Amino acid sequence: LSPCALGAILNPQTIPKLNCKVICGAANNQLAEDSRDSKLIHQRGIIYVPDFVVNRMGIVNCADEQYGRLLCDPAIERHLGWNWDHAIGPVVQRFLEDSKHSGRPPLRAAADRAEALMQQQHPIWPGRAKAIAQEVWQKLSEA
């Protein structure tokens, strides 16, 4: 199944009706409630690849478009191959293996990996992510 248009289509009413081995689509917020619905999918033995992994190329494209386009752009191609540690394939493979070994739903394994990566210093802008998060938190607290 490849949800690519509507959010919240995976829920307690639809999940029992699924007849697929894998869910991998680019729609945002495919699960009506992340924790509950990812567990339901996991209990059914269906592999779930979270939207934030699948649709990340939209963000990559937006970030890179200011520099222009190449027909076979190496900055894009490295995300689609297997030779870069952070390419989509190796990332999916790692969190699915982690899910299998830990028994956690793939969404939890992928989110834990993403949270760990967010704690690392960016090589060009160290501390930037933390500063942005603090600024957002401050603005939310003031609202």
Side-chain angles (χ1 to χ4, degrees), residues 77-130:
E77 296 292 324
R78 73 181 186 157
H79 289 274
L80 305 175
W82 287 90
N83 297 327
W84 183 44
D85 195 40
H86 298 291
I88 294 171
V91 166
V92 170
Q93 185 176 36
R94 278 193 302 276
F95 78 72
L96 288 178
E97 286 173 359
D98 181 27
S99 170
K100 183 178 178 180
H101 294 303
S102 69
R104 295 178 300 156
L107 176 62
R108 185 71 262 149
D112 289 348
R113 180 175 262 313
E115 289 170 17
L117 288 170
M118 286 190 295
Q119 300 305 315
Q120 294 179 4
Q121 292 287 336
H122 190 282
I124 299 172
W125 301 292
R128 183 175 173 88
K130 185 175 182 179

Side-chain angles (χ1 to χ4, degrees), residues 22-107:
V22 176
I23 299 170
C24 181
N28 290 328
N29 306 314
Q30 299 163 9
L31 305 173
E33 199 284 303
D34 286 352
S35 180
R36 176 197 65 206
D37 298 336
S38 68
K39 287 178 187 172
L40 290 173
I41 291 168
H42 188 64
Q43 289 168 352
R44 297 255 345 259
I46 299 171
I47 295 170
Y48 177 66
V49 182
D51 58 345
F52 63 86
V53 176
V54 177
N55 64 23
R56 81 177 214 192
M57 289 310 295
I59 298 297
V60 170
N61 183 60
C62 290
D64 289 347
E65 69 185 5
Q66 65 181 322
Y67 302 110
R69 301 201 183 274
L70 297 171
L71 186 58
C72 295
D73 193 335
I76 298 294
E77 296 292 324
R78 73 181 186 157
H79 289 274
L80 305 175
W82 287 90
N83 297 327
W84 183 44
D85 195 40
H86 298 291
I88 294 171
V91 166
V92 170
Q93 185 176 36
R94 278 193 302 276
F95 78 72
L96 288 178
E97 286 173 359
D98 181 27
S99 170
K100 183 178 178 180
H101 294 303
S102 69
R104 295 178 300 156
L107 176 62

